[in-house]
Protein backbone atom coordinates (compact mmCIF):
# COMPACT_ATOMS: atom_id res chain seq x y z
CA UNK A 1 0.00 0.00 0.00
CA UNK A 2 1.38 3.42 -1.00
CA UNK A 3 2.30 5.82 1.75
CA UNK A 4 1.15 9.43 1.63
CA UNK A 5 4.70 10.51 0.76
CA UNK A 6 4.81 8.02 -2.12
CA UNK A 7 1.57 9.49 -3.45
CA UNK A 8 2.94 13.02 -3.25
CA UNK A 9 6.13 12.00 -5.07
CA UNK A 10 4.10 10.27 -7.76
CA UNK A 11 2.18 13.48 -8.42
CA UNK A 12 5.33 15.59 -8.42
CA UNK A 13 7.14 13.23 -10.80
CA UNK A 14 4.39 13.70 -13.37
CA UNK A 15 3.17 10.10 -13.36
CA UNK A 16 -0.17 11.44 -12.20
CA UNK A 17 -1.65 14.32 -14.21
CA UNK A 18 -4.17 15.66 -11.74
CA UNK A 19 -4.89 19.40 -11.88
CA UNK A 20 -6.94 21.61 -9.58
CA UNK A 21 -7.82 25.04 -11.03
CA UNK A 22 -8.25 27.97 -8.63
CA UNK A 23 -9.30 31.48 -9.67
CA UNK A 24 -8.92 34.63 -7.56
CA UNK A 25 -11.23 37.33 -8.93
CA UNK A 26 -10.48 40.86 -7.70
CA UNK A 27 -12.61 43.98 -7.87
CA UNK A 28 -10.28 46.84 -8.89
CA UNK A 29 -12.93 49.56 -9.18
CA UNK A 30 -12.18 53.07 -7.94
CA UNK A 31 -13.45 52.48 -4.41
CA UNK A 32 -10.57 50.02 -3.97
CA UNK A 33 -7.85 52.58 -4.67
CA UNK A 34 -9.36 56.12 -4.63
CA UNK A 35 -6.62 58.42 -3.21
CA UNK A 36 -9.27 60.62 -1.58
CA UNK A 37 -10.41 57.64 0.44
CA UNK A 38 -6.98 56.02 0.80
CA UNK A 39 -4.38 58.84 1.03
CA UNK A 40 -1.79 56.25 2.09
CA UNK A 41 -1.75 54.10 -1.03
CA UNK A 42 -0.12 51.20 0.81
CA UNK A 43 -3.20 50.75 3.01
CA UNK A 44 -5.71 50.77 0.14
CA UNK A 45 -7.59 47.52 -0.56
CA UNK A 46 -6.07 47.54 -4.06
CA UNK A 47 -2.51 47.60 -2.70
CA UNK A 48 -3.20 45.06 0.04
CA UNK A 49 -4.66 42.57 -2.43
CA UNK A 50 -1.71 42.92 -4.79
CA UNK A 51 0.90 42.37 -2.07
CA UNK A 52 -1.09 39.55 -0.45
CA UNK A 53 -1.44 37.67 -3.73
CA UNK A 54 2.32 37.65 -4.31
CA UNK A 55 2.91 36.44 -0.74
CA UNK A 56 0.22 33.78 -1.15
CA UNK A 57 1.88 32.39 -4.27
CA UNK A 58 5.28 32.29 -2.55
CA UNK A 59 3.82 30.36 0.38
CA UNK A 60 1.87 27.97 -1.83
CA UNK A 61 5.06 27.03 -3.65
CA UNK A 62 6.44 25.74 -0.34
CA UNK A 63 3.58 23.23 0.01
CA UNK A 64 4.55 20.13 -1.95
CA UNK A 65 1.05 18.81 -2.64
CA UNK A 66 -0.40 22.19 -3.55
CA UNK A 67 2.54 23.01 -5.82
CA UNK A 68 2.08 19.66 -7.57
CA UNK A 69 -1.52 20.03 -8.72
CA UNK A 70 -2.67 23.62 -8.07
CA UNK A 71 -3.21 25.78 -11.15
CA UNK A 72 -3.87 29.43 -10.31
CA UNK A 73 -5.32 32.36 -12.26
CA UNK A 74 -5.97 35.96 -11.24
CA UNK A 75 -8.83 37.86 -12.90
CA UNK A 76 -9.51 41.56 -12.30
CA UNK A 77 -12.61 43.58 -13.06
CA UNK A 78 -13.98 47.09 -12.92
CA UNK A 79 -15.54 48.64 -16.04
CA UNK A 80 -14.27 45.59 -17.87
CA UNK A 81 -12.82 42.24 -16.83
CA UNK A 82 -9.45 40.87 -17.82
CA UNK A 83 -7.22 37.94 -17.02
CA UNK A 84 -4.39 39.50 -15.05
CA UNK A 85 -2.55 36.18 -14.95
CA UNK A 86 -3.63 33.14 -16.99
CA UNK A 87 -4.14 29.76 -15.37
CA UNK A 88 -0.71 28.24 -14.70
CA UNK A 89 0.93 25.78 -12.35
CA UNK A 90 2.41 27.53 -9.34
CA UNK A 91 6.00 26.93 -10.41
CA UNK A 92 5.25 28.72 -13.69
CA UNK A 93 4.05 31.90 -11.96
CA UNK A 94 6.50 34.68 -11.23
CA UNK A 95 5.43 37.93 -9.56
CA UNK A 96 2.01 39.04 -10.72
CA UNK A 97 2.89 42.68 -11.26
CA UNK A 98 0.73 45.69 -10.32
CA UNK A 99 -3.02 45.16 -10.52
CA UNK A 100 -4.86 47.48 -12.92
CA UNK A 101 -7.00 50.34 -11.62
CA UNK A 102 -10.53 50.88 -12.90
CA UNK A 103 -13.64 52.91 -12.22
CA UNK A 104 -17.06 51.28 -11.90
CA UNK A 105 -18.11 47.71 -11.06
CA UNK A 106 -19.24 45.70 -14.09
CA UNK A 107 -20.76 42.38 -13.05
CA UNK A 108 -22.03 41.63 -16.55
CA UNK A 109 -18.55 41.67 -18.07
CA UNK A 110 -16.83 39.79 -15.27
CA UNK A 111 -19.26 36.85 -15.43
CA UNK A 112 -19.11 36.76 -19.23
CA UNK A 113 -15.33 36.77 -19.00
CA UNK A 114 -15.23 34.07 -16.33
CA UNK A 115 -17.62 31.82 -18.21
CA UNK A 116 -15.52 32.03 -21.37
CA UNK A 117 -12.19 31.77 -19.53
CA UNK A 118 -13.01 28.85 -17.25
CA UNK A 119 -14.48 26.81 -20.10
CA UNK A 120 -11.43 27.49 -22.27
CA UNK A 121 -9.03 26.61 -19.44
CA UNK A 122 -10.86 23.38 -18.63
CA UNK A 123 -10.83 22.29 -22.26
CA UNK A 124 -7.09 23.03 -22.48
CA UNK A 125 -6.28 21.07 -19.29
CA UNK A 126 -8.36 18.10 -20.40
CA UNK A 127 -6.79 18.25 -23.84
CA UNK A 128 -3.37 18.04 -22.19
CA UNK A 129 -4.44 14.85 -20.42
CA UNK A 130 -5.07 16.20 -16.93
CA UNK A 131 -7.59 14.66 -14.57
CA UNK A 132 -9.45 17.61 -13.06
CA UNK A 133 -10.71 18.45 -9.61
CA UNK A 134 -13.73 20.78 -9.40
CA UNK A 135 -12.51 24.35 -10.06
CA UNK A 136 -12.87 26.96 -7.32
CA UNK A 137 -13.46 30.70 -7.69
CA UNK A 138 -12.76 33.21 -4.91
CA UNK A 139 -14.66 36.41 -5.77
CA UNK A 140 -13.52 39.54 -3.88
CA UNK A 141 -15.62 42.70 -4.25
CA UNK A 142 -16.39 45.87 -2.33
CA UNK A 143 -19.18 47.38 -4.39
CA UNK A 144 -22.59 46.98 -5.92
CA UNK A 145 -22.98 45.97 -9.57
CA UNK A 146 -23.14 49.24 -11.51
CA UNK A 147 -23.24 50.69 -15.00
CA UNK A 148 -21.03 53.03 -17.00
CA UNK A 149 -23.60 55.83 -16.64
CA UNK A 150 -25.18 55.65 -13.20
CA UNK A 151 -27.22 53.51 -10.86
CA UNK A 152 -27.06 49.82 -10.07
CA UNK A 153 -27.26 46.90 -12.46
CA UNK A 154 -30.24 44.71 -11.48
CA UNK A 155 -29.49 41.09 -10.72
CA UNK A 156 -31.48 39.89 -13.73
CA UNK A 157 -29.00 41.68 -16.01
CA UNK A 158 -25.85 39.91 -14.80
CA UNK A 159 -27.10 36.70 -13.17
CA UNK A 160 -27.73 34.83 -16.47
CA UNK A 161 -23.98 34.96 -17.25
CA UNK A 162 -23.16 33.76 -13.74
CA UNK A 163 -25.72 30.97 -14.09
CA UNK A 164 -24.30 29.87 -17.42
CA UNK A 165 -20.94 29.28 -15.75
CA UNK A 166 -22.75 27.38 -12.97
CA UNK A 167 -24.96 25.36 -15.36
CA UNK A 168 -25.34 21.75 -14.16
CA UNK A 169 -24.73 20.59 -17.72
CA UNK A 170 -21.18 21.95 -17.37
CA UNK A 171 -19.57 19.10 -15.46
CA UNK A 172 -16.56 21.18 -14.38
CA UNK A 173 -18.66 24.13 -13.15
CA UNK A 174 -16.83 25.84 -10.29
CA UNK A 175 -17.60 26.19 -6.63
CA UNK A 176 -17.75 29.94 -5.92
CA UNK A 177 -16.87 31.70 -2.68
CA UNK A 178 -18.15 35.30 -2.49
CA UNK A 179 -16.22 37.69 -0.24
CA UNK A 180 -17.68 41.18 0.09
CA UNK A 181 -16.82 44.31 2.01
CA UNK A 182 -17.77 47.97 1.83
CA UNK A 183 -21.05 48.80 0.10
CA UNK A 184 -21.79 45.35 -1.29
CA UNK A 185 -24.97 43.86 0.21
CA UNK A 186 -25.62 40.37 1.49
CA UNK A 187 -28.19 39.51 -1.17
CA UNK A 188 -25.69 40.25 -3.93
CA UNK A 189 -23.15 37.95 -2.29
CA UNK A 190 -25.70 35.15 -2.04
CA UNK A 191 -26.38 35.49 -5.76
CA UNK A 192 -22.65 35.34 -6.45
CA UNK A 193 -21.87 32.15 -4.51
CA UNK A 194 -22.55 28.86 -6.27
CA UNK A 195 -25.41 26.58 -5.23
CA UNK A 196 -24.37 23.35 -6.95
CA UNK A 197 -21.74 22.67 -5.74
CA UNK A 198 -22.66 24.74 -2.71
CA UNK A 199 -20.38 27.72 -2.19
CA UNK A 200 -20.01 30.27 0.59
CA UNK A 201 -21.00 33.94 0.92
CA UNK A 202 -19.11 36.03 3.48
CA UNK A 203 -19.25 39.70 4.40
CA UNK A 204 -16.66 41.71 6.29
CA UNK A 205 -17.68 42.88 9.73
CA UNK A 206 -17.70 46.67 10.20
CA UNK A 207 -15.10 48.31 12.40
CA UNK A 208 -11.92 46.64 11.20
CA UNK A 209 -9.66 48.36 8.63
CA UNK A 210 -10.16 47.11 5.07
CA UNK A 211 -6.45 46.26 4.88
CA UNK A 212 -6.75 43.91 7.88
CA UNK A 213 -9.92 42.28 6.56
CA UNK A 214 -8.50 41.69 3.08
CA UNK A 215 -5.24 40.30 4.45
CA UNK A 216 -7.32 37.83 6.50
CA UNK A 217 -9.38 36.88 3.43
CA UNK A 218 -6.31 36.25 1.25
CA UNK A 219 -4.70 34.24 4.05
CA UNK A 220 -7.85 32.12 4.27
CA UNK A 221 -7.74 31.54 0.50
CA UNK A 222 -4.18 30.26 0.96
CA UNK A 223 -5.31 27.96 3.77
CA UNK A 224 -8.27 26.81 1.69
CA UNK A 225 -6.09 25.79 -1.26
CA UNK A 226 -3.58 23.93 0.90
CA UNK A 227 -6.27 22.20 2.99
CA UNK A 228 -8.38 21.29 -0.03
CA UNK A 229 -5.45 19.66 -1.81
CA UNK A 230 -4.43 17.84 1.37
CA UNK A 231 -7.95 16.51 2.07
CA UNK A 232 -8.91 15.88 -1.56
CA UNK A 233 -12.07 17.97 -1.30
CA UNK A 234 -12.82 21.68 -1.26
CA UNK A 235 -12.45 23.25 2.19
CA UNK A 236 -13.14 26.85 3.18
CA UNK A 237 -13.58 28.49 6.57
CA UNK A 238 -14.89 31.99 7.23
CA UNK A 239 -11.93 34.41 7.57
CA UNK A 240 -11.25 36.25 10.82
CA UNK A 241 -13.27 39.47 10.89
CA UNK A 242 -15.87 38.15 8.43
CA UNK A 243 -19.20 36.37 8.84
CA UNK A 244 -21.12 33.90 6.72
CA UNK A 245 -24.38 35.29 5.24
CA UNK A 246 -25.54 32.17 3.39
CA UNK A 247 -28.71 31.75 5.45
CA UNK A 248 -29.45 35.33 6.45
CA UNK A 249 -32.65 36.94 5.20
Amino acid sequence: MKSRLDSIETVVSGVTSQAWPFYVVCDVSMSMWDPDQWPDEHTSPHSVIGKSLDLMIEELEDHTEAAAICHLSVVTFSGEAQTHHPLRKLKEISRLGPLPKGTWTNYVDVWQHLDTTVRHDIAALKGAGHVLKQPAVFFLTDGMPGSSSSGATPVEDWKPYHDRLCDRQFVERPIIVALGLGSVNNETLRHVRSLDPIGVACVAEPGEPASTLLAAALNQILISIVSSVSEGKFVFEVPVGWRCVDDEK
Side-chain angles (χ1 to χ4, degrees), residues 204-217:
E205 295 279 19
E208 288 289 338
S211 56
T212 301
L213 293 166
L214 283 168

Side-chain angles (χ1 to χ4, degrees), residues 117-194:
T117 300
V118 172
R119 290 175 184 270
H120 175 271
D121 289 345
I122 294 303
L125 288 172
K126 291 171 73 173
H130 291 288
V131 176
L132 300 185
K133 299 288 287 183
Q134 203 86 30
V137 171
F138 301 98
F139 191 92
L140 282 159
T141 184
D142 82 330
M144 294 293 292
S147 68
S148 57
S149 53
S150 61
T153 302
V155 65
E156 57 266 23
D157 285 1
W158 61 266
K159 194 67 161 55
Y161 304 104
H162 170 284
D163 290 349
R164 185 174 188 274
L165 174 61
C166 297
D167 191 332
R168 294 188 67 183
Q169 299 303 309
F170 180 28
V171 176
E172 292 85 10
R173 61 194 179 277
I175 185 167
I176 301 173
V177 174
L179 295 160
L181 71 163
S183 61
V184 67
N185 68 36
N186 297 356
E187 188 61 25
T188 297
L189 294 176
R190 285 192 288 270
H191 282 302
V192 167
R193 61 131 187 207
S194 58

